[in-house]
Amino acid sequence: MDSLHLVHVKLLASDILTLTPQHTSPPSFVCCGRTVVRAEVVGVVVSRDRREKFLRFLVDDGTACVPCVLWLNHQYLNANSSSDSDPTGEMALKMSEVVCLGTLLRVRGRIVMYRGAIQIVVRDVVLEEDPNVEVLHWLQCVHMAKECYDLPLPSA
């Protein structure tokens, strides 16, 4: 099995949106013949829609805009928990406060297909202070494509 399915693969938004879906369980995608499940993208928030149970936003890295969803309803998902506080839900609420229009973010999460479109279900969000991080991410994506993603799979 390809080890890329275990990590957040550094990809440009245009690459994420052109991934080929595989009909597997759990859902996965193919990039250059390799299985990809998780991704990392760096870009500017250009759209934000907050609802009771989730925050939907678009991240633009200059190549495309990738839809992202941050679930805020972990307290509903963890209804059987006897604990009064939900650290996962609290973390999601704190991350949602970082997502503002015009901010530069690093987003990591699971790639999913929803209503026929690819999106990222957010695992974590990091506010980036240095605008050079976006260019560095581009360079890392190109480097990783040449040195890792585009290489043939090792034979077993």
Side-chain angles (χ1 to χ4, degrees):
M1 178 170 261
D2 188 9
S3 61
L4 282 184
H5 79 283
L6 298 173
V7 298
H8 289 93
V9 179
K10 291 178 181 284
L11 292 172
L12 298 173
S14 60
D15 294 333
I16 293 171
L17 298 177
T18 58
L19 291 171
T20 305
Q22 288 184 310
H23 301 289
T24 60
S25 182
S28 61
F29 297 82
V30 176
C31 175
C32 302
R34 293 172 131 10
T35 302
V36 177
V37 177
R38 298 172 186 87
E40 174 180 302
V41 65
V42 175
V44 176
V45 178
V46 294
S47 172
R48 183 183 194 277
D49 180 21
R50 169 87 188 260
R51 302 291 173 98
E52 180 184 349
K53 297 181 181 182
F54 62 88
L55 171 64
R56 182 180 13 224
F57 57 100
L58 286 175
V59 174
D60 183 355
D61 72 353
T63 65
C65 294
V66 64
C68 301
V69 174
L70 174 61
W71 288 99
L72 305 172
N73 64 339
H74 292 282
Q75 64 270 16
Y76 303 112
L77 297 174
N78 298 331
N80 297 334
S81 174
S82 61
S83 172
D84 289 336
S85 67
D86 176 20
T88 309
E90 291 171 14
M91 285 176 25
L93 287 172
K94 286 182 182 177
M95 283 190 277
S96 73
E97 294 169 2
V98 171
V99 180
C100 300
L101 289 177
T103 56
L104 180 62
L105 300 177
R106 178 178 309 273
V107 178
R108 292 185 194 108
R110 191 170 32 90
I111 307 166
V112 298
M113 186 72 77
Y114 178 69
R115 294 186 179 174
I118 291 178
Q119 66 181 19
I120 296 177
V121 175
V122 177
R123 180 182 171 273
D124 61 71
V125 174
V126 177
L127 176 64
E128 295 291 355
E129 301 288 335
D130 184 358
N132 295 317
V133 166
E134 190 171 20
V135 176
L136 180 60
H137 180 77
W138 273 50
L139 293 171
Q140 290 171 335
C141 288
V142 170
H143 174 75
M144 292 301 293
K146 285 182 180 178
E147 299 296 322
C148 181
Y149 308 153
D150 293 345
L151 294 177
L153 288 171
S155 57

